[in-house]
Amino acid sequence: MKDKAVGLGKRLITHELVKGSSLIFLGSTFANICGFIFNLFLVRNLSYENYGEYTALLSLIVLVSIPGQSFMQIIVQFVSRYFAKNEKFHVKEFYFQSFRLFNITSITIFLLFFI
């Protein structure tokens, strides 16, 4: 019974999905710890007004990035379908269309808010 558990443990550790997931988990944890330390640094070294401006801008950036994250889900879904059907031409075409759309949208938002 112990040998089966050890064998299962070794197979799980060497499985590609587990290795990739643990790498992403460790990277995310490290990034969160670095962000926490950076936040402590900012709290200690900025005035109340400057820290308030920083958090307001950070919140604005997060709110603006929400639609982009939903588009990423859609892009992954379509591209995976095209790859599954081995339609690489459609992947290339979809990439260029989405790239063009995101560039036009980004430039328009930049011009509206910053000029």
Side-chain angles (χ1 to χ4, degrees):
M1 184 70 169
K2 185 177 178 182
D3 293 335
K4 287 183 180 181
V6 170
L8 178 64
K10 285 182 181 179
R11 281 189 308 217
L12 281 176
I13 290 173
T14 58
H15 194 272
E16 185 177 333
L17 178 64
V18 174
K19 282 168 64 173
S21 299
S22 61
L23 184 64
I24 289 174
F25 175 75
L26 291 175
S28 298
T29 303
F30 179 72
N32 287 333
I33 290 170
C34 289
F36 180 73
I37 292 170
F38 180 69
N39 201 11
L40 287 177
F41 173 77
L42 289 178
V43 166
R44 295 282 185 183
N45 293 321
L46 293 178
S47 66
Y48 294 127
E49 294 85 16
N50 289 339
Y51 186 73
E53 290 175 4
Y54 166 74
T55 56
L57 286 173
L58 190 62
S59 299
L60 182 65
I61 289 170
V62 168
L63 285 174
V64 169
S65 70
I66 290 172
Q69 292 172 357
S70 63
F71 283 124
M72 291 303 291
Q73 297 287 336
I74 295 168
I75 289 172
V76 167
Q77 182 181 7
F78 277 106
V79 169
S80 63
R81 281 188 197 161
Y82 291 144
F83 270 120
K85 294 178 183 177
N86 202 17
E87 298 175 348
K88 297 195 179 185
F89 172 75
H90 291 294
V91 172
K92 185 178 178 182
E93 182 180 330
F94 188 75
Y95 171 74
F96 285 121
Q97 286 179 354
S98 61
F99 186 72
R100 187 179 319 125
L101 175 68
F102 285 139
N103 280 340
I104 291 170
T105 306
S106 299
I107 291 170
T108 304
I109 290 173
F110 176 78
L111 292 175
L112 287 174
F113 285 109
F114 296 108
I115 293 183

